[in-house]
Amino acid sequence: METKILPGSYPMNGGDGEVSYARNSQCQKRAVDDAKKIINEAIADLIDIKNLQKSSNRFLIADLGCAAGPNTFFAVQNIIEAVDNKCKTMQKNDPEPDHQYQTIEYQVFFNDRIDNDFNTLFRSLPCSSSRPYFAVGVPGSFYGRLFPKQSIHFMHSSNTLNWLSRVPDHVGDINSPAWNGNSIFCRGDNKEVAEAYLNQYKKDMEVFLNARAEELVAEGLLALVAVGGRPSGVPLCQINMGKTYEFLGSCLFDMAAEGIISKEKVESLNLPQYYPTASEMEELINKNGRFSIEKMETFPGPGEHFHNVQTWSMIVRAGFEAIVQNHFGNEMVDEFFHRYTKKHAENLSIFYGITKLVQINIILKRKVCSK
Ligand SMILES: C[S@@+](CC[C@H](N)C(=O)[O-])C[C@H]1O[C@@H](n2cnc3c(N)ncnc32)[C@H](O)[C@@H]1O
């Protein structure tokens, strides 16, 4: 099915069919599962239910970049269970035994860009009798304001912040030293290209953090899950995800050499993706100044999905089909992903022993006196 997408927007494949994100996001699900512990600890340590209930019994959660499900439902369910557990513990240990805690009512805001498949998302919501929250859809870019000031208690975003708001300046300009015509992604081994991508990432993160600082209540929490990332000093082209982009690019150049697509068109494709290191993230958050870093963990991200050719090519297709289709048209898409699957299979041995993406999970607390 051909999807019309807006410039600067790159939705995951919608629906619940064979090549949908809903059926091909096991790798991202793993990252969500792996962040459970840090989120549970953050809620246990940092949320003051008693204080919160002085103003209302509502607890508002937002998931930013939710796609069409189902990972967002697991993330939200986990947050709610953690808040419920925290409530029970506070009640049990309350020095004022007569203090009445109110039952919390949860409202969950599912955000993604306007061309996300919200229909599939809402159709697959857990049924209302087993769903302990009211669901709301919030269309729009998280690189900007989405909610009223000081309205949200907990924000979550997983596997999203690698997506830049746009392709960086100059990488598509043949006359610039940052021209990236020989590659479709930021390999990390060309200084000018890497700088252009990093600069865009810095701008985007500043806008993202400023918007969240406005929207969260004082001391509200922001969980950034699976942000990135690269091990320090290792260019993306030397890690598993970078190899994937390299193979996607080389299939496109092969197709151009055979006259199936135009070489200029391939040279002009630049994926709007940046993979920060943990220290780049820390520096950006500290420089922004509106959040304190309460918890942060890094560990090698999921790698086993790369070892299964079919699984991995479907995950890649579910995430990148729209961008390829938008750039080259629909006719070449099946052939392109067929070639990519073949290339991945031929090079499978590379994915054993190669450096993995780093999973960076960060819990931020909005400072009370945010700038
Ligand atoms: C890889 S999916 C992750 C989906 C889900 N959070 C998960 O962990 O499975 C990335 C999602 O981020 C969304 N996204 C990217 N840029 C965005 C933006 N600027 N504003 C809102 N959503 C965005 C994409 O549309 C996509 O649905």
Side-chain angles (χ1 to χ4, degrees):
M1 182 190 66
E2 187 159 1
T3 5
K4 267 263 162 282
I5 64 168
L6 306 168
S9 182
Y10 327 99
M12 304 296 105
N13 277 356
D16 55 5
E18 206 192 345
V19 292
S20 62
Y21 184 79
R23 280 172 59 179
N24 296 287
S25 51
Q26 308 88 315
C27 188
Q28 294 88 337
K29 159 87 165 53
R30 195 26 223 291
V32 168
D33 289 344
D34 286 348
K36 240 174 147 171
K37 187 165 168 281
I38 197 172
I39 289 181
N40 290 349
E41 286 170 3
I43 290 172
D45 298 349
L46 301 167
I47 297 225
D48 184 347
I49 305 281
K50 204 167 167 185
N51 192 32
L52 193 137
Q53 292 204 333
K54 281 183 189 151
S55 51
S56 156
N57 67 337
R58 274 186 237 151
F59 193 89
L60 272 52
I61 299 168
D63 188 34
L64 308 179
C66 59
N71 301 345
T72 183
F73 304 134
F74 299 119
V76 161
Q77 184 186 331
N78 179 49
I79 295 164
I80 291 177
E81 279 171 15
V83 176
D84 279 345
N85 285 338
K86 167 76 180 194
C87 208
K88 282 184 200 136
T89 316
M90 282 192 80
Q91 231 162 338
K92 209 166 94 195
N93 302 333
D94 198 318
E96 302 170 65
D98 295 335
H99 180 87
Q100 288 298 312
Y101 285 81
Q102 302 165 58
T103 305
I104 297 182
E105 289 202 307
Y106 294 98
Q107 187 163 34
V108 177
F109 297 90
F110 293 96
N111 155 259
D112 208 295
R113 302 187 78 144
I114 58 175
D115 44 359
N116 180 55
D117 184 0
F118 282 100
N119 285 335
T120 294
L121 177 83
F122 291 132
R123 266 200 299 266
S124 48
L125 267 169
C127 69
S128 54
S129 58
S130 63
R131 171 166 38 92
Y133 56 86
F134 300 98
V136 185
V138 179
S141 171
F142 52 51
Y143 293 123
R145 284 284 301 279
L146 294 165
F147 304 99
K149 282 190 178 180
Q150 301 211 24
S151 57
I152 309 288
H153 298 100
F154 194 102
M155 288 194 182
H156 174 272
S157 195
S158 58
N159 300 294
T160 49
L161 286 173
N162 295 116
W163 290 94
L164 298 171
S165 65
R166 58 195 291 269
V167 173
D169 287 334
H170 310 304
V171 297
D173 174 1
I174 196 161
N175 297 313
S176 162
W179 186 58
N180 195 29
N182 297 325
S183 172
I184 64 163
F185 73 108
C186 177
R187 295 175 52 83
D189 56 2
N190 173 314
K191 189 165 159 280
E192 281 83 11
V193 174
E195 264 173 26
Y197 270 89
L198 175 59
N199 286 339
Q200 185 61 46
Y201 189 72
K202 284 182 179 169
K203 284 185 210 157
D204 285 345
M205 278 305 295
E206 182 71 8
V207 173
F208 178 87
L209 291 171
N210 285 341
R212 303 302 76 84
E214 296 288 328
E215 297 161 348
L216 278 162
V217 299
E219 303 201 341
L221 298 183
L222 172 58
L224 303 180
V225 168
V227 186
R230 279 177 298 120
S232 190
V234 185
L236 187 62
C237 60
Q238 286 176 16
I239 66 181
N240 54 4
M241 197 60 214
K243 283 286 165 219
T244 293
Y245 293 135
E246 196 172 288
F247 295 159
L248 288 169
S250 79
C251 292
L252 290 172
F253 281 108
D254 289 349
M255 289 174 83
E258 291 170 39
I260 302 170
I261 50 179
S262 104
K263 181 160 176 262
E264 289 71 32
K265 203 84 180 125
V266 182
E267 288 173 342
S268 70
L269 177 65
N270 284 291
L271 298 179
Q273 290 226 304
Y274 186 74
Y275 289 81
T277 63
S279 54
E280 280 172 354
M281 277 306 288
E282 255 184 295
E283 208 180 303
L284 284 173
I285 293 162
N286 290 332
K287 185 162 170 280
N288 172 270
R290 303 183 74 167
F291 291 90
S292 54
I293 300 180
E294 296 292 326
K295 294 178 191 285
M296 182 158 176
E297 62 181 3
T298 62
F299 49 86
E304 68 280 8
H305 301 97
F306 290 81
H307 302 159
N308 183 320
V309 175
Q310 269 316 313
T311 307
W312 183 246
S313 5
M314 293 296 263
I315 289 175
V316 169
R317 184 162 182 168
F320 292 98
E321 180 162 349
I323 210 165
V324 171
Q325 191 186 81
N326 191 45
H327 197 79
F328 296 101
N330 198 35
E331 301 73 42
M332 53 75 79
V333 168
D334 283 338
E335 168 69 13
F336 167 66
F337 282 106
H338 174 70
R339 286 175 183 237
Y340 168 69
T341 306
K342 194 160 165 271
K343 181 145 297 198
H344 186 80
E346 285 162 3
N347 290 281
L348 197 58
S349 59
I350 291 180
F351 293 94
Y352 292 88
I354 194 172
T355 307
K356 293 177 186 169
L357 269 186
V358 176
Q359 176 158 345
I360 309 174
N361 298 328
I362 314 175
I363 306 291
L364 300 179
K365 185 162 80 175
R366 204 207 106 185
K367 291 182 180 169
V368 177
C369 294
S370 173
K371 273 191 284 190

